[in-house]
Amino acid sequence: MKLLRLSFILLFLSFLPVHLISQEEYDVKEHYNKTEVDIPMRDGTLLHTTIYSPKDTTKEYPILMQRTPYSSRPYGKDQFRSLISPNEYLMKEGNIVVYQDVRGRWMSEGRYDNMRAIIPKKSGNEFDESSDTYDTIEWLIENVDNNNGRVGTWGISYPGHYAVASLVDAHPALKASSPQAGIGDFFFDDFHHNGAYLLSYWRATALFGYDKTSPTTEAWYELPGLGTQDQYQFFLDVGPLSNLDEYYGEDNIFWQQLKEHPNYDEFWQSRGIIQHLEDIEPAVMVVGGLFDAEDLYGPFNTYKKIEETSDNYNIMVFGPWSHGDWARQTERQAVGNVYFGDNISENYQRNIETKFFNHFLKEDGDGDVDLAEAYVYDTGARKWNSYEAWPPKEAESKVFYLGDNQELTNEATNNEESFVSDPAKPVSYNNEIKAVFTPREYMTGDQRFAARRPDVLVFETEVLEEDMKLTGEILARLNVATTGTAADWVVKVIDVYPADSEDYEETMDHLDMDNYHMMVRSEVMRGRFRNSFENPEPFEPNKKTPVNITLQDINHTFKKGHKLQIQVQSTWFPLIDRNPQTFVPNIFEAEEEDFQKQTHTIYGDSAIEFSILKE
C-alpha cells in the first residue's frame, strides 16, 4: 500500500488560517510569553494547553481560546506560532490566547471520540466536550495572571465544532463565541450529505480513525495515497466501497463506524450538536463561507437553532469564501475561476470579528454593538448585504417547474424527461484531473461539461431582462421514477454567464467566462432516505415518487443578461460514492453485481422553490 508521508502536513495546513503577515512585521515572541500546561479535567485526564500571555502586565486581558484536534503546535517553550488569535488585529492589540489539544489528540491524554456525544445531564466524573471546555475555562480563570475574567472561544472547521460545544452548559466566564464553519452533524456535514457518503473525504478517515497510545508531538497515522492524480479513475477502479478495506483495517475505528452505521441511527444522532443548542447565554457570531465545500449545514443550522431557542446576542456572517478563506488575508477574493472582490476578508476581520470580540470581552458587552444581525455577501452582485433577520422576512416565494424543451416554467406540465444512469460511467463533480482532499473549487466550478452529458437534465430560463435576487433556502420538490429500486438525486443551481463576459485573473487558461456555467448551490439526496434518514426504503420500480431536497441558503443576484439554470443528475463522482441503483441494506457492503444501469425519469410537475428579494 502506497502511503504519502507528507500528507499529514498538507492536510493539517488545509485546516489552518493563513494570514499574509511576515515574521519581520510582527514577532509574537517579542510581545508574548508562552507557557505549556496540562490541565486536569473532572475525571483526572490531563489536556495539553498552550498559553500566550502579553508581556505588558500593566493591564488585564480577556482570554481567547481555541480547542483543536489538529495540534496546538509548535511544542516547546521556545517555539512560538508566528500568528495567534483569530486575526492580526486581535493579536496586535493584546489578548491572552490559548490553544488546547482536545482529549485523545496529540499531547493530551485520554481517548479521542470523533464528534463525541453531548451528555445532557452529567453526573460525577462524566465528561463531554462541553465539560472539558468548562473545566479548562475554570482552570484558566483561576491560574492565568492578568486575565479580566472574560473568555471567548473560536475555531474553524472541527475547532469550530468545539466552539459550538463550549456554548452548551457554558461556563459563566464564557461571554462570546464565534463558531466558524463548525460541523453540526456528520450525517449532513463533511462525511455525508443527506446520507450519501462523501467519497472525497475517504482519505481523511486516517486522520480521525486511529487511536494513539500516549501523548505525542508526531503524527501517529498516515494517509493512503492514490498513486495517481486521476482520483475519478482510482475510485472507479476500486469498485465497491468494501474494496477500500485494503487501505483501512479494523484498527481504523472511524472506518468501521462508517461501515457499521449507514443509516441515521442512534450512533449518528447522538453525535449531532444542533439539537443541544437551547437557552444559549454567551454572545454568538456564526461565520461561514457561501462556497464552503465542507461545512454549510453546520453554520446555517447553528445560527438558526440558536435564533429559535435562545434570547442571547446571536448574529451570522457569510461571505464569498471557501473553507476558512475569511481567516486569510488575500487582496483578491476568488473561489476557483470566479472573482468576487478585493480585501473582503480583511474588512471582515477588522470591522466585524474584532469589533465582536472586543465588545463582549473588553467592553463587558454593555450597550449596543454596531453590528448587523446578518452580513451575507451577494455572490452575483458582488457586494455585502446587511439584514435585520435571516432569511430576510420581506422575501417572496417563487416556484419554477421543470418543463418542456429544457425550460424552467411558471406552471407544472405533463412533461417527462428520462435518462440512463450508468454506475460504470458516473458524472464527475468537476472536469479536472487533480487528486485533492477538499474539492474547494468545484463549488463555483464551470458546469458546461455536465450540461452536455446525456445523463444530466438541464432546465433554464430565457435570458433575464432584469436582475433577479434569490436569497435564503432552496427546496427542490422532485417527482421521479426509476426502473431500479435505488437512486441518488442531485440538483444544481447554475448561473449561466452571457457570451460577452470577460475573464478574471483567476480563470483557468483553458476556460473562458463567456457562457460560463457557475454553480451557485448544489445538493444530493440519497433516495433511500427520502422519507426517513433512520429507516431507508427502496423505490418501487417505475412508480412516480416524490423526493424533496433542501439546498443550503444562497444570496445571489442573477444579473440581467444571465440565465438561471437547473441541472438534475443521479451520479456525482467521486464527490459521493456510487449508488448501486439496486437496493441493498448497506451500500458499504454492496457487491459488484449490485451496480446496475437504470433509467430515471423526472416529471414536469417537479418544482424548485426559491425566495426572491426585490430591491
Side-chain angles (χ1 to χ4, degrees), residues 256-368:
Q256 303 308 315
Q257 292 170 337
L258 286 165
K259 295 192 302 178
E260 292 167 5
H261 301 279
N263 308 324
Y264 194 51
D265 58 12
E266 175 60 24
F267 175 82
W268 294 115
Q269 292 177 30
S270 68
R271 281 161 168 74
I273 199 166
I274 304 297
Q275 63 265 34
H276 298 289
L277 298 178
E278 297 182 352
D279 300 321
I280 302 302
E281 295 184 2
V284 177
M285 180 179 71
V286 177
V287 181
L290 290 165
F291 300 111
D292 191 333
E294 301 181 46
D295 301 292
L296 271 173
Y297 174 90
F300 276 123
N301 285 279
T302 296
Y303 167 79
K304 291 175 182 178
K305 183 61 182 293
I306 294 174
E307 199 68 11
E308 291 172 2
T309 65
S310 306
D311 294 325
N312 66 325
Y313 182 90
N314 181 46
I315 66 173
M316 57 174 265
V317 183
F318 279 80
W321 298 310
S322 65
H323 196 63
D325 280 352
W326 52 92
R328 302 174 175 91
Q329 281 202 5
T330 53
E331 180 178 350
R332 291 177 60 86
Q333 174 59 34
V335 178
N337 299 299
V338 184
Y339 161 76
F340 293 102
D342 290 342
N343 300 312
I344 294 174
S345 297
E346 193 273 342
N347 174 68
Y348 153 76
Q349 292 172 25
R350 181 194 296 271
N351 298 316
I352 301 176
E353 185 175 49
T354 297
K355 183 181 291 187
F356 169 79
F357 277 119
N358 282 347
H359 180 78
F360 290 101
L361 301 182
K362 292 184 177 180
E363 301 166 15
D364 204 17
D366 293 334
D368 294 330

Side-chain angles (χ1 to χ4, degrees), residues 222-240:
E222 294 172 307
L223 305 185
L226 306 186
T228 175
Q229 287 296 306
D230 192 344
Q231 60 183 4
Y232 180 103
Q233 194 62 47
F234 170 82
F235 285 113
L236 196 62
D237 291 344
V238 163

Side-chain angles (χ1 to χ4, degrees), residues 586-606:
N586 185 344
I587 291 180
F588 285 91
E589 298 175 358
E591 299 180 356
E592 192 70 52
E593 56 267 27
D594 295 321
F595 290 79
Q596 297 292 325
K597 185 187 303 185
Q598 303 291 351
T599 298
H600 303 325
T601 299
I602 305 289
Y603 293 92
D605 54 353
S606 297

Side-chain angles (χ1 to χ4, degrees), residues 89-107:
Y89 307 105
L90 290 165
M91 173 180 68
K92 290 179 178 179
E93 66 184 33
N95 287 279
I96 298 168
V97 184
V98 175
Y99 296 91
Q100 182 178 78
D101 293 336
V102 297
R103 185 180 292 257
R105 301 293 286 184
W106 300 93
M107 287 296 290

Side-chain angles (χ1 to χ4, degrees), residues 57-58 62 81 85 166 183 243 269 307 323 396 463 563 565 574:
T57 58
T58 62
R81 291 191 177 210
S85 85
S166 74
I183 305 158
N243 292 339
Q269 292 177 30
E307 199 68 11
H323 196 63
E396 300 176 358
V463 174
K563 291 188 289 186
Q565 182 185 100

